[in-house]
mmCIF file with all atom_site columns, all heavy atoms in Angstrom:
data_model
loop_
_atom_site.group_PDB
_atom_site.id
_atom_site.type_symbol
_atom_site.label_atom_id
_atom_site.label_alt_id
_atom_site.label_comp_id
_atom_site.label_asym_id
_atom_site.label_entity_id
_atom_site.label_seq_id
_atom_site.pdbx_PDB_ins_code
_atom_site.Cartn_x
_atom_site.Cartn_y
_atom_site.Cartn_z
_atom_site.occupancy
_atom_site.B_iso_or_equiv
_atom_site.pdbx_formal_charge
_atom_site.auth_seq_id
_atom_site.auth_comp_id
_atom_site.auth_asym_id
_atom_site.auth_atom_id
_atom_site.pdbx_PDB_model_num
ATOM 1  N N   . SER A 1 51 ? -4.560 -33.328 4.696  1.00 0.00 ? 51 SER A N   1
ATOM 2  C CA  . SER A 1 51 ? -3.174 -32.942 4.401  1.00 0.00 ? 51 SER A CA  1
ATOM 3  C C   . SER A 1 51 ? -2.431 -32.566 5.690  1.00 0.00 ? 51 SER A C   1
ATOM 4  O O   . SER A 1 51 ? -1.273 -32.908 5.863  1.00 0.00 ? 51 SER A O   1
ATOM 5  C CB  . SER A 1 51 ? -3.116 -31.854 3.331  1.00 0.00 ? 51 SER A CB  1
ATOM 6  O OG  . SER A 1 51 ? -3.001 -30.612 3.910  1.00 0.00 ? 51 SER A OG  1
ATOM 7  N N   . VAL A 1 52 ? -3.122 -31.905 6.637  1.00 0.00 ? 52 VAL A N   1
ATOM 8  C CA  . VAL A 1 52 ? -2.453 -31.576 7.903  1.00 0.00 ? 52 VAL A CA  1
ATOM 9  C C   . VAL A 1 52 ? -2.155 -32.866 8.684  1.00 0.00 ? 52 VAL A C   1
ATOM 10 O O   . VAL A 1 52 ? -1.084 -33.012 9.278  1.00 0.00 ? 52 VAL A O   1
ATOM 11 C CB  . VAL A 1 52 ? -3.315 -30.604 8.747  1.00 0.00 ? 52 VAL A CB  1
ATOM 12 C CG1 . VAL A 1 52 ? -2.705 -30.383 10.120 1.00 0.00 ? 52 VAL A CG1 1
ATOM 13 C CG2 . VAL A 1 52 ? -3.464 -29.269 8.027  1.00 0.00 ? 52 VAL A CG2 1
ATOM 14 N N   . THR A 1 53 ? -3.099 -33.836 8.645  1.00 0.00 ? 53 THR A N   1
ATOM 15 C CA  . THR A 1 53 ? -2.874 -35.106 9.346  1.00 0.00 ? 53 THR A CA  1
ATOM 16 C C   . THR A 1 53 ? -1.624 -35.788 8.798  1.00 0.00 ? 53 THR A C   1
ATOM 17 O O   . THR A 1 53 ? -0.804 -36.326 9.549  1.00 0.00 ? 53 THR A O   1
ATOM 18 C CB  . THR A 1 53 ? -4.109 -36.031 9.176  1.00 0.00 ? 53 THR A CB  1
ATOM 19 O OG1 . THR A 1 53 ? -5.254 -35.302 9.616  1.00 0.00 ? 53 THR A OG1 1
ATOM 20 C CG2 . THR A 1 53 ? -3.971 -37.300 9.997  1.00 0.00 ? 53 THR A CG2 1
ATOM 21 N N   . LYS A 1 54 ? -1.478 -35.773 7.479  1.00 0.00 ? 54 LYS A N   1
ATOM 22 C CA  . LYS A 1 54 ? -0.299 -36.408 6.872  1.00 0.00 ? 54 LYS A CA  1
ATOM 23 C C   . LYS A 1 54 ? 0.992  -35.721 7.323  1.00 0.00 ? 54 LYS A C   1
ATOM 24 O O   . LYS A 1 54 ? 1.973  -36.372 7.665  1.00 0.00 ? 54 LYS A O   1
ATOM 25 C CB  . LYS A 1 54 ? -0.386 -36.324 5.338  1.00 0.00 ? 54 LYS A CB  1
ATOM 26 C CG  . LYS A 1 54 ? -1.221 -37.441 4.749  1.00 0.00 ? 54 LYS A CG  1
ATOM 27 C CD  . LYS A 1 54 ? -0.971 -37.522 3.257  1.00 0.00 ? 54 LYS A CD  1
ATOM 28 C CE  . LYS A 1 54 ? -2.029 -38.394 2.622  1.00 0.00 ? 54 LYS A CE  1
ATOM 29 N NZ  . LYS A 1 54 ? -2.548 -37.840 1.380  1.00 0.00 ? 54 LYS A NZ  1
ATOM 30 N N   . VAL A 1 55 ? 0.965  -34.388 7.336  1.00 0.00 ? 55 VAL A N   1
ATOM 31 C CA  . VAL A 1 55 ? 2.156  -33.650 7.765  1.00 0.00 ? 55 VAL A CA  1
ATOM 32 C C   . VAL A 1 55 ? 2.492  -34.007 9.217  1.00 0.00 ? 55 VAL A C   1
ATOM 33 O O   . VAL A 1 55 ? 3.646  -34.257 9.574  1.00 0.00 ? 55 VAL A O   1
ATOM 34 C CB  . VAL A 1 55 ? 1.934  -32.126 7.631  1.00 0.00 ? 55 VAL A CB  1
ATOM 35 C CG1 . VAL A 1 55 ? 3.089  -31.349 8.247  1.00 0.00 ? 55 VAL A CG1 1
ATOM 36 C CG2 . VAL A 1 55 ? 1.767  -31.740 6.173  1.00 0.00 ? 55 VAL A CG2 1
ATOM 37 N N   . LEU A 1 56 ? 1.424  -34.057 10.077 1.00 0.00 ? 56 LEU A N   1
ATOM 38 C CA  . LEU A 1 56 ? 1.653  -34.383 11.490 1.00 0.00 ? 56 LEU A CA  1
ATOM 39 C C   . LEU A 1 56 ? 2.239  -35.780 11.634 1.00 0.00 ? 56 LEU A C   1
ATOM 40 O O   . LEU A 1 56 ? 3.128  -36.028 12.439 1.00 0.00 ? 56 LEU A O   1
ATOM 41 C CB  . LEU A 1 56 ? 0.329  -34.295 12.262 1.00 0.00 ? 56 LEU A CB  1
ATOM 42 C CG  . LEU A 1 56 ? -0.180 -32.878 12.538 1.00 0.00 ? 56 LEU A CG  1
ATOM 43 C CD1 . LEU A 1 56 ? -1.600 -32.919 13.096 1.00 0.00 ? 56 LEU A CD1 1
ATOM 44 C CD2 . LEU A 1 56 ? 0.745  -32.164 13.534 1.00 0.00 ? 56 LEU A CD2 1
ATOM 45 N N   . GLU A 1 57 ? 1.736  -36.733 10.817 1.00 0.00 ? 57 GLU A N   1
ATOM 46 C CA  . GLU A 1 57 ? 2.213  -38.107 10.902 1.00 0.00 ? 57 GLU A CA  1
ATOM 47 C C   . GLU A 1 57 ? 3.700  -38.167 10.527 1.00 0.00 ? 57 GLU A C   1
ATOM 48 O O   . GLU A 1 57 ? 4.507  -38.818 11.167 1.00 0.00 ? 57 GLU A O   1
ATOM 49 C CB  . GLU A 1 57 ? 1.360  -39.003 9.987  1.00 0.00 ? 57 GLU A CB  1
ATOM 50 C CG  . GLU A 1 57 ? 1.800  -40.469 9.907  1.00 0.00 ? 57 GLU A CG  1
ATOM 51 C CD  . GLU A 1 57 ? 2.049  -41.099 11.299 1.00 0.00 ? 57 GLU A CD  1
ATOM 52 O OE1 . GLU A 1 57 ? 1.403  -40.699 12.273 1.00 0.00 ? 57 GLU A OE1 1
ATOM 53 O OE2 . GLU A 1 57 ? 2.959  -41.971 11.390 1.00 0.00 ? 57 GLU A OE2 1
ATOM 54 N N   . ARG A 1 58 ? 4.034  -37.415 9.478  1.00 0.00 ? 58 ARG A N   1
ATOM 55 C CA  . ARG A 1 58 ? 5.432  -37.432 9.030  1.00 0.00 ? 58 ARG A CA  1
ATOM 56 C C   . ARG A 1 58 ? 6.336  -36.837 10.119 1.00 0.00 ? 58 ARG A C   1
ATOM 57 O O   . ARG A 1 58 ? 7.359  -37.394 10.470 1.00 0.00 ? 58 ARG A O   1
ATOM 58 C CB  . ARG A 1 58 ? 5.581  -36.636 7.720  1.00 0.00 ? 58 ARG A CB  1
ATOM 59 C CG  . ARG A 1 58 ? 6.964  -36.796 7.090  1.00 0.00 ? 58 ARG A CG  1
ATOM 60 C CD  . ARG A 1 58 ? 7.077  -36.136 5.734  1.00 0.00 ? 58 ARG A CD  1
ATOM 61 N NE  . ARG A 1 58 ? 6.412  -34.845 5.599  1.00 0.00 ? 58 ARG A NE  1
ATOM 62 C CZ  . ARG A 1 58 ? 6.818  -33.709 6.138  1.00 0.00 ? 58 ARG A CZ  1
ATOM 63 N NH1 . ARG A 1 58 ? 7.897  -33.682 6.859  1.00 0.00 ? 58 ARG A NH1 1
ATOM 64 N NH2 . ARG A 1 58 ? 6.155  -32.592 5.962  1.00 0.00 ? 58 ARG A NH2 1
ATOM 65 N N   . ARG A 1 59 ? 5.850  -35.712 10.701 1.00 0.00 ? 59 ARG A N   1
ATOM 66 C CA  . ARG A 1 59 ? 6.664  -35.076 11.743 1.00 0.00 ? 59 ARG A CA  1
ATOM 67 C C   . ARG A 1 59 ? 6.772  -35.975 12.977 1.00 0.00 ? 59 ARG A C   1
ATOM 68 O O   . ARG A 1 59 ? 7.798  -36.074 13.607 1.00 0.00 ? 59 ARG A O   1
ATOM 69 C CB  . ARG A 1 59 ? 6.062  -33.720 12.125 1.00 0.00 ? 59 ARG A CB  1
ATOM 70 C CG  . ARG A 1 59 ? 6.391  -32.655 11.061 1.00 0.00 ? 59 ARG A CG  1
ATOM 71 C CD  . ARG A 1 59 ? 5.694  -31.345 11.354 1.00 0.00 ? 59 ARG A CD  1
ATOM 72 N NE  . ARG A 1 59 ? 5.889  -30.869 12.709 1.00 0.00 ? 59 ARG A NE  1
ATOM 73 C CZ  . ARG A 1 59 ? 5.020  -30.128 13.386 1.00 0.00 ? 59 ARG A CZ  1
ATOM 74 N NH1 . ARG A 1 59 ? 3.885  -29.776 12.808 1.00 0.00 ? 59 ARG A NH1 1
ATOM 75 N NH2 . ARG A 1 59 ? 5.270  -29.732 14.591 1.00 0.00 ? 59 ARG A NH2 1
ATOM 76 N N   . ARG A 1 60 ? 5.652  -36.695 13.298 1.00 0.00 ? 60 ARG A N   1
ATOM 77 C CA  . ARG A 1 60 ? 5.667  -37.587 14.457 1.00 0.00 ? 60 ARG A CA  1
ATOM 78 C C   . ARG A 1 60 ? 6.714  -38.684 14.251 1.00 0.00 ? 60 ARG A C   1
ATOM 79 O O   . ARG A 1 60 ? 7.531  -38.977 15.125 1.00 0.00 ? 60 ARG A O   1
ATOM 80 C CB  . ARG A 1 60 ? 4.274  -38.219 14.640 1.00 0.00 ? 60 ARG A CB  1
ATOM 81 C CG  . ARG A 1 60 ? 4.047  -38.822 16.023 1.00 0.00 ? 60 ARG A CG  1
ATOM 82 C CD  . ARG A 1 60 ? 2.890  -39.807 16.025 1.00 0.00 ? 60 ARG A CD  1
ATOM 83 N NE  . ARG A 1 60 ? 3.158  -40.931 15.130 1.00 0.00 ? 60 ARG A NE  1
ATOM 84 C CZ  . ARG A 1 60 ? 3.994  -41.923 15.393 1.00 0.00 ? 60 ARG A CZ  1
ATOM 85 N NH1 . ARG A 1 60 ? 4.633  -41.955 16.545 1.00 0.00 ? 60 ARG A NH1 1
ATOM 86 N NH2 . ARG A 1 60 ? 4.205  -42.878 14.518 1.00 0.00 ? 60 ARG A NH2 1
ATOM 87 N N   . ALA A 1 61 ? 6.717  -39.261 13.029 1.00 0.00 ? 61 ALA A N   1
ATOM 88 C CA  . ALA A 1 61 ? 7.664  -40.343 12.744 1.00 0.00 ? 61 ALA A CA  1
ATOM 89 C C   . ALA A 1 61 ? 9.105  -39.824 12.819 1.00 0.00 ? 61 ALA A C   1
ATOM 90 O O   . ALA A 1 61 ? 9.986  -40.478 13.377 1.00 0.00 ? 61 ALA A O   1
ATOM 91 C CB  . ALA A 1 61 ? 7.369  -40.937 11.362 1.00 0.00 ? 61 ALA A CB  1
#
Side-chain angles (χ1 to χ4, degrees):
S51 97
V52 174
T53 306
K54 276 195 193 137
V55 172
L56 286 171
E57 176 48 30
R58 189 174 40 72
R59 283 175 51 209
R60 197 199 62 75

